[in-house]
Amino acid sequence: MITRAGNYSHLLSGSTALSRVLRRNISTKELDAAKGGRERVVILGSGWAGFVLSRELDKKKFQPIIVSPRPYFVFTPLLASTAVGTLEFRNTVESVRARSSGVEFIQGWGDDVNFNEKKLKIEEASLEIPSTPSRGANVASIQGGEASSKEKGRLFDLKYDKLVVAVGCYSQTFGTPGVKENALFLKDVTDARKIRKRVLECFETAALPTTSDALKDQLLNFAIVGGGPTGVEYAAELHDLIHEDLRKVYPTLVPHVNITIYDVAQKILPMFDSKLAEYALKLFKRDGIKVKTQHNIESLQPGLPEKSREQGDGGVFTLKTKQEGDIGVGMVVWSTGLMMNPFIQRALDDVHKFPTASVSVSNLAKTPAADEKWAIKRFSNGGLLVDDHFRVKLIPRTSDATKIKDFDPPEATMQDVFAIGDVSVMEKNRLPATAQVANQEAKWLAKNLNAGFVEGKEGFNFKNLGVMTYLGNMKAIMQTGGHNEIKGQGYRRFAWLIWRGAYLTQTVSWRNKILIPIYWSINWVFGRDISRF
């Protein structure tokens, strides 16, 4: 029996019902006992898709259990704001263990799935143990964390009636040397904390009397790799932080500041209409933010460029591009796309036994042989191919067609295994890996599960609500409607107000709906908090 630490029930000994709601000492036996006649829906992942689905499911019909190493949900659209102090970190976080949610939680990693026995093998979320200090430890400390090693957690089994894979994706580094170790990403609240700390460290180091002007130029050279909405919004937020708050504290350092966006594509913000993208470019040029498209990043290593003759590196990194060679930078924020979660790549690779009782087979003239080897049907990027009801499909491994091919192989659709969010790829309608898509998919799946899945019912239909991006100095761009049609667009304050209002209304809890505008008001009156801790 695996037990999770923590106990609040002794504080509520007078109320058995409340004690059950607030308990934190959960075991698999207790989960089985609490299940009753409900179906158990195990949800892998606590991101947009998994979190929203768990909240939308009917708790009278289902026992939702989230399995994730992260016990919270992150409102990712506001991460760039927290990374510069416009909002506090907890304003973007919602606890999975909300008292009235009716959702159970197990902190762990999905390790393996047996589709035939409907059993998930889970590894306890491993503890990080600080390693012996080294150069790598120093670099990790600069990035806001400790160099650490991981111990393998204990394994245990959890039965399910329905399984939903919503583990999300990792940041794509394309195997670029040094990026994984030295760049900062913007996928989690811990990433935002590291970025915020590193920016302030660069300014403090540059302010020291022992720091030369040449070293200041490199320390305060901030590179953002990726010209999508995440990279653009962070560049804009960083510009606001420097010119609205840090300018007052470090007035002599501002001339040394340089913000550059690098992208391998021909233009930034490709999902926007060309007029809106051009407006963003002109605004950035006016604000001094450089945009370098068609630039290839070759490596990112700690230390000064070889041509530098400075004494001490001050924590500088060397960013090497194909077009410009070595460049000294104080920080690199990497936001270039997504790669599949290791669970999708490895744990779901082996279908131990064909789940005869829970599949429907098509394109096959006879019943599959008992020794037939099957694999999950995947898209070319490794994502899970699903139908318009988000059901995961199997395909014979012997056909060597685990990915899309030119022919139509036999396939089996699992009726109790679903995939939503970034890891799923719809066969008939490829959708972008965005929070908007994941949110709609989760709500659609929950609604149909609550109503009872009816074969032949109309599948999921994505409603494009548009895209918006903050450009700094209380300006934003907004585009609504599907495809490239511009049905509405706004510049300057109007689009900025809609940008803030949209994110505020999408915030999950009333607690954050109240706190977010309060922090916006506090920072507008008193400025951002620039303390470093």
Side-chain angles (χ1 to χ4, degrees):
M1 180 176 70
I2 302 301
T3 305
R4 272 139 199 86
N7 55 359
Y8 292 95
S9 58
H10 67 283
L11 299 175
L12 300 164
S13 56
S15 174
T16 304
L18 284 177
S19 176
R20 285 199 301 268
V21 170
L22 295 179
R23 72 185 185 279
R24 291 294 180 267
N25 207 20
I26 301 175
S27 73
T28 54
K29 287 186 178 180
E30 289 172 335
L31 290 174
D32 293 339
K35 178 184 175 184
R38 299 178 295 169
E39 282 191 289
R40 175 177 294 168
V41 180
V42 175
I43 304 167
L44 295 175
S46 58
W48 273 96
F51 184 83
V52 172
L53 175 66
S54 70
R55 265 44 184 181
E56 296 288 330
L57 284 174
D58 185 349
K59 307 308 184 296
K60 295 180 180 179
K61 294 182 177 180
F62 302 104
Q63 181 192 43
I65 303 175
I66 289 181
V67 177
S68 173
R70 192 177 70 179
Y72 55 86
F73 158 76
V74 179
F75 191 81
T76 49
L78 292 178
L79 276 181
S81 294
T82 66
V84 299
T86 305
L87 290 173
E88 286 305 308
F89 303 115
R90 289 193 177 275
N91 296 151
T92 62
V93 171
E94 305 283 355
S95 175
V96 173
R97 295 186 183 275
R99 290 181 292 181
S100 59
S101 67
V103 177
E104 301 288 3
F105 174 71
I106 294 177
Q107 188 162 5
W109 307 84
D111 189 74
D112 190 25
V113 182
N114 188 317
F115 298 116
N116 184 56
E117 299 180 7
K118 293 190 176 183
K119 186 166 61 178
L120 172 69
K121 189 175 291 295
I122 301 171
E123 176 193 345
E124 289 180 312
S126 57
L127 298 175
E128 293 189 357
I129 302 175
S131 64
T132 304
S134 62
R135 171 64 180 174
N138 291 334
V139 172
S141 180
I142 287 174
Q143 296 178 350
E146 297 282 343
S148 60
S149 60
K150 292 185 177 181
E151 288 187 348
K152 179 77 172 178
R154 291 179 294 174
L155 300 176
F156 62 100
D157 294 331
L158 180 68
K159 299 283 287 185
Y160 67 83
D161 295 300
K162 288 180 171 59
L163 177 67
V164 181
V165 182
V167 293
C169 291
Y170 286 5
S171 296
Q172 176 63 272
T173 63
F174 304 101
T176 308
V179 169
K180 184 178 180 181
E181 297 81 8
N182 302 309
L184 297 176
F185 304 90
L186 199 51
K187 291 283 290 178
D188 194 8
V189 68
T190 56
D191 298 327
R193 182 177 179 274
K194 292 176 184 178
I195 291 172
R196 182 168 166 182
K197 181 180 180 182
R198 179 56 185 160
V199 170
L200 298 175
E201 281 179 346
C202 287
F203 272 88
E204 286 295 346
T205 305
L208 293 173
T210 54
T211 305
S212 66
D213 285 346
L215 187 55
K216 289 176 183 178
D217 290 338
Q218 296 179 81
L219 276 168
L220 301 181
N221 185 15
F222 302 107
I224 295 98
V225 181
T230 301
V232 167
E233 285 196 355
Y234 178 69
E237 293 276 9
L238 180 59
H239 177 272
D240 286 355
L241 169 67
I242 293 170
H243 291 274
E244 293 175 6
D245 297 281
L246 296 182
R247 175 188 290 274
K248 300 173 184 176
V249 183
Y250 309 98
T252 60
L253 295 181
V254 172
H256 296 277
V257 172
N258 187 36
I259 302 173
T260 307
I261 298 175
Y262 294 90
D263 200 297
V264 71
Q266 293 183 348
K267 67 174 185 176
I268 62 171
L269 301 175
M271 67 291 300
F272 281 89
D273 178 76
S274 58
K275 293 181 180 179
L276 293 177
E278 186 64 27
Y279 171 79
L281 269 177
K282 291 180 180 178
L283 187 62
F284 275 1
K285 185 177 181 180
R286 190 186 315 153
D287 290 340
I289 300 174
K290 299 177 182 178
V291 177
K292 297 184 178 182
T293 55
Q294 295 181 294
H295 273 61
N296 304 86
I297 307 299
E298 294 187 337
S299 67
L300 176 64
Q301 302 298 340
L304 290 165
E306 291 183 2
K307 61 184 178 182
S308 178
R309 299 180 180 178
E310 296 298 318
Q311 294 293 325
D313 60 22
V316 170
F317 296 86
T318 297
L319 178 69
K320 184 177 182 180
T321 68
K322 182 179 179 180
Q323 289 73 19
E324 299 179 350
D326 293 346
I327 305 166
V329 296
M331 178 185 71
V332 173
V333 175
W334 192 274
S335 60
T336 59
L338 303 174
M339 64 179 290
M340 281 298 133
N341 190 295
F343 174 80
I344 301 298
Q345 294 174 322
R346 294 194 295 268
L348 290 183
D349 189 54
D350 185 17
V351 178
H352 303 287
K353 187 177 179 181
F354 186 74
T356 307
S358 58
V359 298
S360 59
V361 182
S362 61
N363 304 330
L364 194 65
K366 61 180 181 179
T367 304
D371 59 349
E372 180 85 68
K373 298 295 183 182
W374 292 75
I376 288 180
K377 192 176 183 182
R378 299 174 183 268
F379 190 55
S380 56
N381 67 352
L384 306 182
L385 278 168
V386 296
D387 63 10
D388 57 4
H389 288 65
F390 302 108
R391 293 173 295 199
V392 176
K393 295 187 174 185
L394 301 178
I395 201 168
R397 186 181 293 273
T398 52
S399 69
D400 193 27
T402 56
K403 298 178 181 179
I404 289 181
K405 301 293 180 182
D406 294 331
F407 62 93
D408 191 17
E411 62 182 32
T413 302
M414 291 190 283
Q415 304 297 319
D416 51 17
V417 180
F418 307 86
I420 55 177
D422 297 347
V423 300
S424 67
V425 180
M426 296 189 71
E427 286 187 301
K428 296 181 179 179
N429 184 20
R430 308 286 152 70
L431 299 173
T434 64
Q436 181 184 161
V437 172
N439 184 56
Q440 289 190 32
E441 288 179 349
K443 289 185 175 180
W444 185 93
L445 181 58
K447 180 179 178 181
N448 281 269
L449 287 175
N450 291 339
F453 238 77
V454 179
E455 192 66 34
K457 189 176 181 180
E458 182 182 359
F460 174 74
N461 183 30
F462 173 62
K463 297 179 180 178
N464 189 351
L465 302 179
V467 287
M468 56 185 73
T469 296
Y470 180 58
L471 300 178
N473 195 26
M474 298 176 70
K475 295 184 179 71
I477 54 175
M478 177 186 64
Q479 176 176 309
T480 61
H483 307 291
N484 293 322
E485 181 183 357
I486 306 297
K487 293 184 178 178
Q489 64 186 40
Y491 298 141
R492 304 179 182 237
R493 305 294 186 265
F494 178 67
W496 173 77
L497 287 172
I498 294 178
W499 174 79
R500 281 204 163 181
Y503 286 164
L504 180 61
T505 55
Q506 290 175 24
T507 305
V508 177
S509 69
W510 278 103
R511 176 182 180 275
N512 280 338
K513 288 183 189 293
I514 295 171
L515 286 177
I516 287 174
I518 289 176
Y519 274 101
W520 279 338
S521 301
I522 290 174
N523 289 327
W524 184 72
V525 176
F526 300 105
R528 297 171 180 84
D529 179 14
I530 59 171
S531 57
R532 180 164 52 101
F533 53 88

